Amino acid sequence: MKKLFLYIVSLFIIVGCSDEIPEQKRPIQAKRAVLAYLIANNNLDTDIMNNVVWMYESLAKSQDSCSLAIYYKPSSSNNYINEAQILTFFTDGHGQINGQPALEGNDITTSNVVGQALKYAAISGIATQAEVMQANLQAMTDMMPAESYGVIFGSHATSWMPATGTDISTFSFGYDGVERNSINIPEFADVLETCFPGNLDFVLFDACMMQTAEVCYELRNATHYCIASVMETPVDGFPYHLILNNLYQEDIDFDKLCEDVITYNKKEKLWGTYAVVDCTQMDAFAAAVREEITSKASLLENLSLHAIQQYGVDQFSYFSFDVADLIRQLNEGILPDSFQQILNQTVLAKSCITNSNANPYGSVLRDEEKYCGIGMYIPDAANNPNWNAYYRSAISWYQAVWGN
């Protein structure tokens, strides 16, 4: 906490010196700060560390003042960070980051980027414990006061599925250490509601399988937008060197964001589905889905699951089905106009790759028309008693759509 106090003092000093900047060159203070909560104490450490470098690369090109705080939990093999730390970067929009000339070209290396960061010891503990996550997010917001925030969460994840050691290992969100410590989505949503009371613009999941109705419904009171993939994602992560500056804009260009990610993935011969969901529409979306499945209960009972687009592979087969394709199958292959309207209000942008040669994920989606941007589980679709019991007892979407 002493380091945090010293940081806050240094921040006041920086602000106090801002009068030295000529009025015509004074940077415009960004209304939104971006935070990143990166749990890399696992086999993704090298890739997530590279994501930090990409974030810096984007900041170095920014023509606006931007604030970025990164909570980073490294693995024991990380050569640059040896304990959980908070890295902070402030760019003035005139080529300066943290009061120094921004790195350029070949100088943008992991070592140099970490070296230029203002670093502070994070609050210790398991990164996926609600209390630890909340404390560190709160510390970052204290460091970077802003009108609103966007938060990037990077690690392993498995959507709504419970973070428990079962016959199929699941992470829900986060994988901290050999014990695979994770946080379940309802508790995750509670943390966000506590830390960001009405001022969290977006959550971006740089993690697998998070763009499901179950996740977005839990987040409906926590954030406005959810940016994620319904599939397992490449280890490269989001190409932050191409998209981060977009996330600072007052009106984020979500179509461009999804297209930029897909363009990068295509160039690297990867796969991918990415979408942006308006979580504030999830109550209305749940009501529309419930109406469809309730009115066609007998058709649903006899519907072959193999006929519906699903997004899981191997042990995660049938964890999530395309919502629109399910409704389409219940309506003789036609999506009702009324449902299409609420879908358009809920899924604001989407982009995907079909027929990729990346095995096994490239073959999951063959027809772009079957991808609506958001998936959901069908109770008992998977022969996994742990999933099914947890789904009924803990997931709010179940009660809103499937419950009596």
Side-chain angles (χ1 to χ4, degrees), residues 168 232 312-318 360-361:
I168 296 180
E232 294 189 55
V313 172
D314 298 332
Q315 60 183 346
F316 296 116
S317 293
Y318 303 128
Y361 308 109

Side-chain angles (χ1 to χ4, degrees), residues 30-90:
K31 294 183 179 180
R32 179 186 303 122
V34 174
L35 315 178
Y37 198 86
L38 308 180
I39 306 174
N41 188 17
N42 50 58
N43 63 337
L44 296 178
D45 194 11
T46 299
D47 301 293
I48 296 179
M49 197 83 257
N50 185 57
N51 294 159
V52 173
V53 175
W54 279 350
M55 291 178 191
Y56 182 97
E57 184 178 336
S58 182
L59 289 179
K61 299 174 184 175
S62 177
Q63 297 182 359
D64 292 317
S65 59
C66 300
S67 302
L68 172 67
I70 301 172
Y71 167 89
Y72 199 99
K73 182 72 175 285
S75 69
S76 59
S77 61
N78 192 303
N79 294 321
Y80 309 99
I81 302 174
N82 57 19
E83 63 178 351
Q85 291 187 330
I86 295 175
L87 316 178
T88 60
F89 300 92
F90 300 87

